[in-house]
Amino acid sequence: MPELPEVETTVKDLQTKVLSRTFVDVWTDTKKIVKKPKDFEEFRKQLKSKKIQKIWRRGKNIIFELSEDYSLLIHQKLTGHLLYGEWKKDRVNTYIHLKFFLDNGEILALSDLRKFAKVELWKTEELLEELEKLGLEPLAKDFAFEKFKEVLKDKRGKVKQVLMDQKVIAGIGNIYASEILWEAKINPFKGVLKLSDEELKKIYQAIGKILKKAVKAKGESISDFRRISGEKGGFDPFRKVYQKEGEKCPRCGAKIKRTKIAGRSTYFCPTCQKT
Ligand SMILES: [Zn+2]
């Protein structure tokens, strides 16, 4: 699933290509992708002739602020990614289930193998209220250690699971939770309540370091994520543990282990992430 760095990459790419464009029409062969309004024809009618005034990210959500106080929200979920113009041919770029037609004659398309993506049209004010339910933004200027400590202090559950809880911190998913905990040398099974201040600090620092590195590299394309040009992101050479089961830990040489936490594959080094 595209996580914060991938969504951030998409948003930055979109800002250079579709800002100030107007939606002329929209097509789909999978009406369930449009969740709000539920009736696709109604969605189509409301979206037509709205101009894109601002594009930003909150957690894993892409938000297009439109004219007349509307906002379009796209959550790419498991395998969705947006493509624009003449995108690069690639197997994962061929599952086009939604097309936005723009006033410059170009198409903004959603490729989504699993068809779990979510597209919603909101009144901007209502959407902003809804987004307040999300947790801290880990790349925001005000993401301070004290704030991070405060939101974690009464959280039950294993640290990896809590890092992936969008109501606690927004934007971290399975790939980066594994990478962050490896970087911080913390065992993914450790209960949040058992983390010392020093350990919390290490996790906090690793969050900033890993996410910034991944944003700079334009995201991870080990799965279906592609940039709007259809090209892959460049994080792969920096990936240390995720989907590296049986390979050597780049820090200590022990074999990377895979295990499951809450049904999700978790990768870690049993030697340097002992506690
Ligand atoms: Zn190791």
Side-chain angles (χ1 to χ4, degrees):
M1 179 191 282
E3 302 178 28
L4 185 152
E6 290 75 40
V7 179
E8 182 75 14
T9 299
T10 301
V11 163
K12 282 182 178 158
D13 284 349
L14 287 169
Q15 285 167 345
T16 69
K17 296 289 183 190
V18 305
L19 198 61
S20 302
R21 298 265 61 96
T22 296
F23 289 109
V24 174
D25 206 351
V26 54
W27 164 92
T28 187
D29 65 354
T30 313
K31 289 182 179 169
K32 67 162 189 174
I33 289 175
V34 175
K35 307 265 194 275
K36 188 179 163 69
K38 277 206 172 83
D39 177 44
F40 180 75
E41 280 311 314
E42 189 58 32
F43 170 79
R44 187 174 166 222
K45 204 169 92 188
Q46 287 181 20
L47 187 70
K48 270 189 190 180
S49 78
K50 299 291 186 294
K51 185 176 175 179
I52 301 169
Q53 295 177 329
K54 190 176 162 188
I55 308 166
W56 56 287
R57 180 191 60 75
R58 179 75 171 97
K60 300 176 192 171
N61 298 287
I62 301 166
I63 297 127
F64 298 80
E65 278 188 35
L66 308 175
S67 50
E68 295 172 59
D69 299 318
Y70 279 92
S71 281
L72 178 72
L73 175 143
I74 299 181
H75 192 305
Q76 305 173 109
K77 299 280 178 173
L78 276 182
T79 54
H81 57 279
L82 292 170
L83 296 162
Y84 174 81
E86 301 261 327
W87 60 82
K88 194 172 178 234
K89 300 277 179 291
D90 182 328
R91 181 191 58 84
V92 301
N93 295 341
T94 58
Y95 306 98
I96 306 298
H97 295 298
L98 192 76
K99 286 181 193 173
F100 297 103
F101 301 93
L102 305 174
D103 63 342
N104 59 353
E106 297 288 356
I107 290 171
L108 177 65
L110 175 75
S111 183
D112 187 1
L113 169 67
R114 304 280 295 272
K115 304 184 202 175
F116 288 133
K118 175 175 93 171
V119 174
E120 297 175 336
L121 189 63
W122 290 75
K123 288 305 276 185
T124 297
E125 200 178 314
E126 288 167 19
L127 177 62
L128 294 178
E129 208 180 300
E130 179 70 17
L131 293 173
E132 278 175 24
K133 293 176 188 164
L134 286 171
L136 299 175
E137 267 300 326
L139 291 187
K141 283 197 180 72
D142 63 355
F143 181 67
F145 177 62
E146 289 308 317
K147 251 187 179 174
F148 172 70
K149 206 173 129 180
E150 181 67 25
V151 296
L152 258 68
K153 77 171 199 295
D154 57 350
K155 295 289 177 290
R156 295 177 181 280
K158 301 173 179 70
V159 60
K160 178 176 178 250
Q161 223 176 330
V162 172
L163 284 182
M164 287 171 58
D165 182 343
Q166 301 304 299
K167 291 194 172 76
V168 179
I169 300 172
I172 298 172
N174 214 26
I175 299 176
Y176 295 105
S178 284
E179 295 296 320
I180 286 163
L181 291 172
W182 181 84
E183 178 69 30
K185 301 185 191 172
I186 303 291
N187 189 289
F189 285 93
K190 188 151 189 174
V192 166
L193 299 178
K194 290 192 172 150
L195 292 167
S196 67
D197 264 22
E198 199 189 331
E199 288 172 323
L200 283 168
K201 189 98 195 183
K202 278 187 192 164
I203 297 169
Y204 168 79
Q205 285 166 343
I207 289 173
K209 185 178 167 185
I210 298 292
L211 294 181
K212 277 178 199 158
K213 193 188 274 185
V215 166
K216 205 173 160 200
K218 312 289 182 193
E220 169 61 66
S221 288
I222 187 174
S223 181
D224 292 47
F225 171 72
R226 296 294 181 270
R227 299 179 64 178
I228 67 172
S229 58
E231 292 165 303
K232 289 183 177 184
F235 185 73
D236 220 46
F238 305 107
R239 183 167 52 89
K240 311 284 193 199
V241 286
Y242 182 77
Q243 288 196 4
K244 299 256 186 193
E245 185 185 13
E247 291 183 35
K248 279 185 180 173
C249 167
R251 195 163 42 208
C252 75
K255 275 190 177 171
I256 302 295
K257 262 193 169 176
R258 180 173 73 103
T259 176
K260 283 198 171 180
I261 295 180
R264 306 292 304 276
S265 283
T266 298
Y267 300 85
F268 69 106
C269 170
T271 305
C272 44
Q273 288 173 267
K274 219 169 225 157
T275 53

